[in-house]
Amino acid sequence: MAKTIKMLSPEAGRTDTAGLRAFDADALARCAADAAQPWWRRQSCAEALAGRVPERRVPELIARVQDTGDVSHVRIALLDLLADRPELLPWLRHEDRQQDGAYGMAEAVLGARGALGDLTAAGALAALAFSPWHHRRKTGEAGLDALAARCGAEAVLAELDGARPEERSDPRWRIEAVCTQPPPASDPAERLLRATAALTAAGLAPRPPVSCGEDNGSGDGTYHVIGYGTSDSTVFISTLGRFATGDDDDPDVRRALESAGFRWIDRAVGSTEVTGLCVYYFGSRDPLKVDTLLFYWQD
């Protein structure tokens, strides 16, 4: 017996995602637009339509996006689906959108404006990218990146005059993200092997590395700890790149690791405060120092 949409999504949290993606697109679109269906099924149908929206169903799907009485999860999923439709732009830019208090809609609207190349959204997207909340920040960053891809980085930066702190969203990070390629992926396991080998070759008798969570007895973070010698001396190896540091700034350890390609983070560099990142750290998002960012542990 052929499966139905209801069989593929019998209840919230039990959706056969692959099955829906292979299902008839017209039937999925009808279900997504049907307010009589449960919202979680409609959301799943909308997500399963990615890249294959039937053109004849577009008007009714847009109507559901614009229905402020509908469930925001469905509206957001449909807006993501239809974010390439230029006919949505006048509605997205209308001042009434600022009054739409449905959960997540304001952010979704801004993200869609960015995807459609609306440069007038640049300032609001910069503010969103400055948010301490990850899901909001992610939408803002994606919107700015979409604007840059469509209009060029210079056009986006020209819209950000720096009058507000969030438009300044520290420009080093935004310019770097827009104008440069990310560094190649690195292998933390390979770095640990290299660090251990360098310490061994220097006669420092390193012990097996442990994660910062194991070393602290709980939590997780961005570094491993290598004990060495006969005392309690340790060195930290960051998972974020070729960075190392130690509590006592042992010159022998520093020389060994620098010779193996590591950048030693000394007290002067480590104490430098970095602003504009909004990293969560023990209940706050205040600016953090370099050593905390590279060797981060959170209980």
Side-chain angles (χ1 to χ4, degrees):
M1 181 177 65
K3 291 186 176 181
T4 64
I5 290 177
K6 186 174 182 179
M7 294 168 65
L8 292 169
S9 55
E11 59 186 50
R14 286 188 56 206
T15 297
D16 181 349
T17 302
L20 283 181
R21 286 177 179 163
F23 208 81
D24 177 68
D26 195 71
L28 289 173
R30 290 200 309 272
C31 181
D34 185 358
Q37 292 287 337
W39 69 264
W40 41 266
R41 182 175 294 146
R42 296 172 61 208
Q43 179 183 358
S44 296
C45 287
E47 292 169 348
L49 276 170
R52 57 192 189 110
V53 180
E55 188 66 28
R56 69 193 189 101
R57 298 292 177 187
V58 168
E60 57 191 297
L61 294 176
I62 288 180
R64 295 275 61 80
V65 171
Q66 297 176 338
D67 182 1
T68 58
D70 208 338
V71 179
S72 62
H73 292 286
V74 177
R75 296 175 67 203
I76 291 169
L78 289 172
L79 187 53
D80 288 343
L81 184 68
L82 301 169
D84 61 341
R85 307 296 305 201
E87 62 265 41
L88 268 172
L89 192 54
W91 180 83
L92 292 168
R93 295 180 65 178
H94 195 279
E95 61 183 10
D96 287 351
R97 301 292 76 72
Q98 300 176 24
Q99 311 304 320
D100 192 336
Y103 178 78
M105 278 305 299
E107 295 89 344
V109 164
L110 282 173
R113 288 173 64 186
L116 286 168
D118 180 11
L119 280 170
T120 65
L125 284 168
L128 201 59
F130 193 73
S131 172
W133 296 102
H134 175 72
H135 66 285
R136 293 177 180 171
R137 185 168 69 250
K138 184 177 179 181
T139 300
E141 291 173 346
L144 287 173
D145 289 341
L147 275 181
R150 290 188 64 134
C151 306
E154 290 186 3
V156 176
L157 292 173
E159 292 291 319
L160 307 178
D161 60 11
R164 300 176 301 160
E166 54 265 37
E167 291 189 4
R168 296 194 299 271
S169 187
D170 192 322
R172 292 171 297 175
W173 315 122
R174 289 311 313 156
I175 292 173
E176 181 180 54
V178 168
C179 299
T180 66
Q181 292 296 319
S186 58
D187 183 358
E190 185 276 333
R191 283 199 300 275
L192 288 176
L193 288 174
R194 185 148 40 98
T196 301
L199 294 171
T200 300
L204 294 165
R207 294 185 286 279
V210 297
S211 69
C212 57
E214 183 179 348
D215 185 65
N216 285 289
S218 63
D220 200 3
T222 64
Y223 65 96
H224 287 82
V225 180
I226 301 178
Y228 63 92
T230 57
S231 66
D232 293 330
S233 297
T234 58
V235 64
F236 296 170
I237 305 296
S238 179
T239 63
L240 301 179
R242 296 180 293 105
F243 306 108
T245 194
D247 291 334
D248 54 6
D249 242 1
D250 187 320
D252 293 332
V253 172
R254 177 171 182 168
R255 280 193 294 270
L257 292 175
E258 286 182 336
S259 68
F262 286 87
R263 165 76 184 273
W264 186 264
I265 304 301
D266 58 23
R267 289 187 178 89
V269 173
S271 62
T272 303
E273 189 175 81
V274 180
T275 60
L277 292 182
C278 292
V279 175
Y280 179 86
Y281 188 66
F282 290 98
S284 70
R285 295 184 184 275
D286 296 327
L288 297 174
K289 297 177 180 178
V290 167
D291 58 358
T292 301
L293 291 168
L294 292 179
F295 308 98
Y296 178 99
W297 172 74
Q298 174 72 62
D299 191 358

